[in-house]
Amino acid sequence: MPTEHVNAPARLPRHLAVIMDGNGRWAERRRRPRAVGHRAGARAVNVCIDFCLERGIEALTLFAFSSENWGRPEDEVGALMKLFLNALEREVDELDRRGVRVRFIGERERFGELIRRQMDAAEARTRGNDRLHLSIAASYGGRWDIAQAARSLAQDVAAGRLQPEQIDEAALNARLCLSDLPAPDLFIRTGGDMRISNFLLWQLAYAELWFTDLLWPELDAVTLQRALDDYASRERRFGLTGAQVASRPHETAE
Ligand code: IPE
Ligand code: IPE
Ligand code: MG
């Protein structure tokens, strides 16, 4: 095959990972409490889900609340918890109807019992769906994820189920969140900051990174399409040379 695949139109990310940032600033610019920004941000979540469903993207992972976000002022954390609960009550029926499988990744034990129960119920209810795999990272940190995977390996070694020599990238990867999905191909962060903020540290190893100054509540389909177009124009080399990639158009490192 010749080399036209490099910019082939069919280059759609299978898995999109998003840091939804800028809710607080959106509200502050309007002289409103930060919680108002978080409510506006919840609407933008639907914009993003609709977009993925329309475009046929297989997996969407949204960073909703980091391990570090627990350190925010009590009233902001409280407002976010209320918002999570409302969203869980309000949105799950519709997600289920649209064929979305929902899961939550992160340290679930840190949430109150009511939220935990709603998360369990949403996951159980949508388990059979496969149009879009939606993962909500809540109380999530990439370092926590790697640490819990390491603990799981150590437990298996201590119990005699695993030899230390068997610990390799695949063994650790299998114990990380989202190991059943293709690694994120495209990472998007709104809000203008160019950092990962302890999101999927391992899983993003070869993701294409895309940033926008737009604040999360302002997100629209045009912006998401710009990210997709940019993604489609990039050459993913996975450590190989451009010539190697050109001669093996469908190969990736995953
Ligand atoms: C992202 O928006 C949502 C959460 C972290 C929960 P922010 O609340 O971080 O908004 P900014 O960055 O302060 O504008
Ligand atoms: C990252 O945003 C976490 C989420 C969007 C949930 P932050 O606003 O917490 O990130 P930093 O602190 O600015 O890096
Ligand atoms: Mg922020």
Side-chain angles (χ1 to χ4, degrees), residues 198-231:
N198 200 17
F199 194 25
L200 304 160
L201 296 179
W202 171 291
Q203 296 89 335
L204 289 173
Y206 260 108
E208 295 297 324
L209 308 181
W210 197 85
F211 299 92
T212 172
D213 288 336
L214 218 69
L215 303 174
W216 178 252
E218 301 166 340
L219 183 82
D220 56 15
V222 172
T223 303
L224 290 169
Q225 188 57 49
R226 269 179 38 226
L228 249 52
D229 291 345
D230 195 349
Y231 173 82

Side-chain angles (χ1 to χ4, degrees), residues 234-253:
R234 296 188 191 181
E235 181 185 62
R236 303 184 75 192
R237 289 189 292 278
F238 299 102
L240 305 184
T241 67
Q244 285 177 301
V245 173
S247 65
R248 287 184 290 180
H250 301 298
E251 214 162 286
T252 70

Side-chain angles (χ1 to χ4, degrees), residues 92-110:
V92 173
D93 276 356
E94 180 66 7
L95 290 172
D96 186 35
R97 201 182 57 73
R98 301 177 81 186
V100 178
R101 178 176 178 171
V102 187
R103 79 173 87 174
F104 298 88
I105 59 169
E107 218 177 338
R108 204 174 294 201
E109 301 70 39
R110 295 183 74 177

